[in-house]
Amino acid sequence: MQEVGIYEYQHPLADAVAYKARLADLSDRIKIMARGDRAVLASTGWTVNGSVAEGRKMLREYTKLMLRAYNAEADSCVARVQPHRLHTTVERLNKVTHTIARLGRTMGIHVAPEYHQLRVHEIELTADYRAKLEEEKERIREERERQREERAATAEFERERARLTKEQSHYLAALAKLQAKGDMSGAADLEAKLAEIGEAIVGVEARQANVRAGYVYVISNIGAFGPGMVKIGMTRRLDPEDRVRELGDASVPFKFDTHALIFSDDAVGLEAKLHNALTEQRVNKVNTRREFFYASPAQVRDLLQEIAGQHLLVYHEASEALEWRASGAQQQETPPPSALTPAPA
């Protein structure tokens, strides 16, 4: 899986806290082995000038030196390992083990396989921990974004209901005056208008109560991501274009273009069905919360009509991309700074 860019956990655990606890336990085991002179081993019976004691002393000094060299490299691997570089990092430490064995062959000095395995385990757990930590951070970011979007939608509903209620009170006051004057024709017109306002208030309240209702949108940003890529999402906003405008904020160089909009009482389910239908065309196959797909607006339109069976509120095949096209025209007239010829000294 890692060959295609998807990280596969070596030691799956529930969360980052569990990984941290496992790493702490492993660190204790590593220290016990190192302090017990069981991390780097050497042959016995080595003598120096016929002295066994001097031989033991030399072996002890050399094994400590090799252990320091090995641990320095292992610590560096642990500090720098990234999930996508795990295999390379482990291979790097394996080479150090082979080098120590080659250099210490005369005295039989080598890293104990059990100790080496503990350090490799530490590298793997650290890579898993960092992957899980990033996964949890992303989940928190997504949840904060969802909550922010929900607050914005709720505020919109409240504002719209307040506006309609205020408008309703004005019409009620006007209706009372017309009825007092005996203007039944004018009163009938106002009663019809009040009925419309009442229906609108009921509609807003129903939208607010139904957390699954909303708009599914299909947008693109040819200037930022190139052609052939769309983002498919949903929003509960009364005006879905408000959400589209927010997505085209300072994090991307150009605004998004809206290709399709469809309202659904189950926009959450409709969005999920579209995402599932386009699974193979996902841009980010690791983080499924990223809603970008290699697809054309026409492909998504056909899927929408097939799945939802409803008429699109908005559909535009081509990307307008006004800012991007205008920027391209200006670049042709004025080369970018990197292309300008430096002035002679």
Side-chain angles (χ1 to χ4, degrees):
M1 294 291 280
Q2 290 181 192
E3 285 78 1
V4 294
I6 298 176
Y7 183 71
E8 187 173 358
Y9 286 91
Q10 304 300 303
H11 309 279
L13 295 175
D15 51 36
V17 174
Y19 277 108
K20 207 165 185 179
R22 185 72 64 84
L23 279 166
D25 177 65
L26 184 60
S27 178
D28 290 340
R29 292 168 61 193
I30 289 169
K31 288 175 183 176
I32 289 171
M33 278 201 75
R35 290 169 182 169
D37 295 330
R38 293 186 290 122
V40 174
L41 307 176
S43 62
T44 57
W46 186 264
T47 62
V48 175
N49 296 327
S51 171
V52 174
E54 287 297 318
R56 281 199 300 266
K57 180 182 177 184
M58 177 179 283
L59 284 175
R60 189 163 55 250
E61 289 173 349
Y62 270 89
T63 54
K64 283 183 178 179
L65 182 64
M66 291 299 188
L67 178 58
R68 283 189 178 184
Y70 175 82
N71 277 339
E73 193 64 34
D75 290 343
S76 175
C77 288
V78 170
R80 297 183 181 183
V81 66
Q82 294 298 327
H84 64 283
R85 300 278 296 170
L86 174 60
H87 178 73
T88 304
T89 304
V90 171
E91 279 301 307
R92 174 180 157 189
L93 191 61
N94 286 339
K95 288 179 181 178
V96 173
T97 306
H98 297 322
T99 300
I100 288 174
R102 178 171 53 81
L103 294 175
R105 184 181 296 116
T106 304
M107 292 181 283
I109 294 175
H110 62 282
V111 178
E114 183 184 354
Y115 186 74
H116 177 60
Q117 192 53 47
L118 284 177
R119 297 307 312 247
V120 169
H121 191 183
E122 184 183 22
I123 293 170
E124 292 174 345
L125 274 178
T126 301
D128 283 0
Y129 168 69
R130 287 176 180 155
K132 181 64 73 173
L133 200 61
E134 187 56 37
E135 183 183 306
E136 291 178 358
K137 285 180 180 177
E138 181 66 22
R139 192 157 49 240
I140 290 170
R141 282 194 292 268
E142 292 288 335
E143 179 59 20
R144 284 176 179 166
E145 176 62 21
R146 187 196 67 77
Q147 291 176 358
R148 192 190 67 78
E149 169 72 0
E150 187 61 33
R151 286 195 298 270
T154 299
E156 277 192 13
F157 291 136
E158 294 295 342
R159 283 196 300 270
E160 182 64 9
R161 184 164 57 180
R163 184 189 70 79
L164 289 170
T165 302
K166 185 177 181 180
E167 188 176 357
Q168 186 182 50
S169 65
H170 289 163
Y171 276 102
L172 284 170
L175 176 62
K177 290 178 181 179
L178 289 177
Q179 288 174 336
K181 290 194 303 182
D183 186 350
M184 294 300 106
S185 175
D189 291 340
L190 290 187
E191 285 173 346
K193 183 63 179 177
L194 281 166
E196 291 179 12
I197 295 172
E199 289 177 4
I201 291 174
V202 170
V204 169
E205 290 174 344
R207 281 281 307 277
Q208 187 172 5
N210 183 4
V211 295
R212 298 183 68 84
Y215 293 91
V216 172
Y217 57 79
V218 181
I219 59 179
S220 72
N221 195 322
I222 192 171
F225 308 115
M229 185 187 298
V230 295
K231 175 177 171 61
I232 303 170
M234 69 83 62
T235 180
R236 295 188 65 220
R237 304 285 187 87
L238 289 171
D239 183 358
E241 289 293 349
D242 286 345
R243 177 58 178 158
V244 175
R245 281 189 287 271
E246 284 181 2
L247 291 170
D249 62 8
S251 62
V252 289
F254 303 102
K255 296 177 181 177
F256 280 90
D257 287 310
T258 302
H259 292 285
L261 281 176
I262 186 169
F263 179 80
S264 173
D265 288 330
D266 186 14
V268 175
L270 176 56
E271 179 196 35
K273 288 177 182 177
L274 285 171
H275 288 180
N276 289 336
L278 294 168
T279 295
E280 295 302 317
Q281 291 158 261
R282 275 191 178 277
V283 176
N284 188 334
K285 296 184 183 297
V286 179
N287 184 351
T288 57
R289 290 181 292 276
R290 300 295 186 183
E291 304 168 327
F292 289 90
F293 300 85
Y294 293 116
S296 68
Q299 284 179 282
V300 185
R301 175 202 61 198
D302 294 343
L303 276 173
L304 272 169
Q305 292 177 339
E306 177 185 331
I307 295 171
Q310 301 174 36
H311 294 295
L312 297 172
L313 299 176
V314 171
Y315 180 74
H316 302 292
E317 180 85 25
S319 298
E320 194 173 27
L322 292 177
E323 291 181 346
W324 175 68
R325 297 184 196 283
S327 298
Q330 288 184 23
Q331 284 178 1
Q332 289 179 359
E333 296 173 6
T334 306
S338 59
L340 295 176
T341 305

